[in-house]
Amino acid sequence: MNAKDHELKLLTERYVRGEGSPEERTSYEELMLTDDGVLEIYMQVLSELDAELPGMADPKAFAEQVVEHEQIKPYTPKAPLRIQERPKRWYERAIVHYAIAASITMLFLFTGAFDRLLPSEISGQVPLSDTPSYSEQWVEKTTGWLDRLLSR
């Protein structure tokens, strides 16, 4: 144990025994709140001095007296709100999702993004079964765009 830890241990023993001025006690309490090492020393000293410290005659009666005196209500945990009880946020509503999807669709229609998916050779005479599916066309277009981006 180094000198600082030994000094902290002596200071902690004084604090536990109730010795020292109110200013010293306050500064030690602030030190305990900011330094975890001091709190560990405090817990160690408490366990060492356990036999010297006075015991409580009736801890339950003491707790009840504190609750009555301080008018503290016993803790009763509240049940968390169910999802149905919690009001939905504006972005969780289905109408917002539909509006966004419709806006994107209109954007694609007006910019001609859907026209670029269809091969230019396709006309009314080609049977539908000979044309590639939309998902294949999307994959081909996407990989083409990615290849062009990576080649730059």
Side-chain angles (χ1 to χ4, degrees):
M1 180 179 278
N2 61 24
K4 182 182 177 187
D5 288 344
H6 184 70
E7 183 181 326
L8 276 174
K9 188 171 181 179
L10 291 175
L11 182 63
T12 303
E13 287 177 5
R14 288 186 48 163
Y15 177 81
V16 170
R17 289 188 175 113
E19 301 169 355
S21 68
E23 292 83 18
E24 289 175 335
R25 296 180 63 74
T26 303
S27 67
Y28 181 79
E29 289 168 359
E30 289 175 8
L31 184 63
M32 253 195 314
L33 290 173
T34 58
D35 189 357
D36 290 336
V38 175
L39 185 60
E40 289 177 20
I41 292 174
Y42 173 76
M43 298 303 289
Q44 178 185 5
V45 168
L46 271 181
S47 64
E48 290 173 2
L49 298 178
D50 188 34
E52 296 178 27
L53 298 175
M56 292 185 130
D58 188 7
K60 190 172 183 177
F62 174 76
E64 289 174 3
Q65 181 184 9
V66 168
V67 168
E68 288 175 10
H69 178 69
E70 297 296 326
Q71 298 177 355
I72 300 173
K73 295 180 182 174
Y75 175 73
T76 55
K78 292 183 178 179
L81 290 177
R82 294 184 186 158
I83 293 176
Q84 293 84 12
E85 294 174 2
R86 182 178 57 86
K88 286 187 176 182
R89 297 180 186 103
W90 67 271
Y91 55 84
E92 293 177 335
R93 299 184 186 275
I95 190 70
V96 174
H97 296 262
Y98 289 130
I100 292 171
S103 301
I104 292 172
T105 303
M106 294 301 288
L107 179 70
F108 284 169
L109 282 174
F110 288 130
T111 59
F114 288 131
D115 294 337
R116 293 183 191 148
L117 289 177
L118 297 174
S120 59
E121 306 86 47
I122 295 182
S123 63
Q125 296 103 4
V126 179
L128 191 57
S129 62
D130 292 342
T131 62
S133 70
Y134 284 113
S135 59
E136 289 175 7
Q137 292 175 20
W138 276 104
V139 169
E140 289 174 13
K141 283 289 185 183
T142 305
T143 54
W145 289 335
L146 289 174
D147 289 342
R148 279 186 278 167
L149 284 173
L150 293 175
S151 65
R152 289 183 185 182

